[in-house]
Amino acid sequence: MTKAMEVKKPVRLSLARQVLNAMETMIRSGEWQVGDRIPAEPELARAFSVSHNTIREALQSLIHMGMLEARPGDGTYVMASDRFAVAVSNRLRETDLPQLLEARLALEKEIARLAAIKRTDEDLERLALALSDCRSKIRPGIEDDMLFHAAVATATHNSVLAELYQVILNHVRQNLENLLVEKQYDAHAMLLHEHLLSAIRNHDADSAESIIVKIVDFDTQSISLID
């Protein structure tokens, strides 16, 4: 006898789930980037042509996942690019600072090498602009420094490395911002960053790796001095 084929009926997604999926796609595609404040509920309700309750349900699900964060009196912000980033972020919350710095160093060494090998002229322009912002301290805390390092990761043209590094950067900022804000932009730190940019510009992978080791070591020593 022929065994009867089991067929699962398609599940009709609720409106809230459809909106959630659409928002998640916007985050993954970069339309809403990590750190962005997303539109307010009334604007989202108009954009998706659904009720405020539907928008609220979708937002609460994304907040519960860790992809969004609601800040009372301010708005809702993108915290992670996808569920993989959320999973890594949750794991890093359980990691002590020395292990976090070791993971950062291991990843940054490979990122620096790949950036030196694969960078484009457009990457160099972004890096030069990011370094200029570091010198001028355009943004609060150590955000300009973090954006420079994120630009180095982008120059690898490896989306997995860049996304993973962004998650680690967020945790470095959360753990180290108060400790490094006074040290991160001094003359020695800026000189190391300039040398890193030069190595990447010259396609010198060995020098880029050597310099990133010095930068992370500088951060570690600065933490020790402050503590």
Side-chain angles (χ1 to χ4, degrees), residues 17-32:
R17 185 68 192 189
Q18 292 178 49
V19 172
L20 183 155
N21 289 345
M23 290 180 178
E24 196 171 355
T25 297
M26 294 170 74
I27 294 171
R28 286 201 308 270
S29 69
E31 186 173 348
W32 289 351

Side-chain angles (χ1 to χ4, degrees), residues 97 175-183 222-223 226-227:
L97 187 54
N175 282 279
L176 303 183
E177 183 151 21
N178 291 335
L179 296 176
L180 292 177
V181 69
E182 298 299 327
K183 290 282 186 178
S222 298
I223 296 166
I226 295 170
D227 287 346

Side-chain angles (χ1 to χ4, degrees), residues 88 92 100-115 152-153 156 158 160-169 209 212 216:
V88 174
L92 290 177
L100 181 62
L101 291 175
E102 287 175 356
R104 176 196 173 189
L105 176 58
L107 198 59
E108 284 217 54
K109 288 197 296 184
E110 186 59 27
I111 284 173
R113 293 190 66 85
L114 281 177
V152 175
T156 66
N158 183 310
V160 175
L161 270 180
E163 290 176 16
L164 181 58
Y165 184 60
Q166 185 63 57
V167 177
I168 288 182
L169 269 186
E209 179 180 348
I212 206 68
V216 176

Side-chain angles (χ1 to χ4, degrees), residues 144-163:
D144 288 316
D145 179 73
M146 296 292 97
L147 288 174
F148 173 81
H149 287 278
V152 175
T154 300
T156 66
H157 296 276
N158 183 310
S159 60
V160 175
L161 270 180
E163 290 176 16

Side-chain angles (χ1 to χ4, degrees), residues 172-198:
V172 169
R173 180 188 291 114
Q174 293 168 15
N175 282 279
L176 303 183
E177 183 151 21
N178 291 335
L179 296 176
L180 292 177
V181 69
E182 298 299 327
K183 290 282 186 178
Q184 205 66 9
Y185 301 108
D186 73 18
H188 180 60
M190 286 296 92
L191 185 60
L192 287 173
H193 286 64
E194 289 168 7
H195 287 169
L196 177 59
L197 177 53
S198 294

Side-chain angles (χ1 to χ4, degrees), residues 81-124:
S81 58
D82 55 30
R83 299 187 194 195
F84 167 73
V86 172
V88 174
S89 181
N90 289 337
R91 175 64 182 86
L92 290 177
R93 288 194 184 97
E94 303 170 358
T95 304
D96 59 27
L97 187 54
Q99 287 190 344
L100 181 62
L101 291 175
E102 287 175 356
R104 176 196 173 189
L105 176 58
L107 198 59
E108 284 217 54
K109 288 197 296 184
E110 186 59 27
I111 284 173
R113 293 190 66 85
L114 281 177
I117 294 167
K118 300 173 69 175
R119 63 82 176 158
T120 64
D121 289 342
E122 290 77 12
D123 292 322
L124 291 178

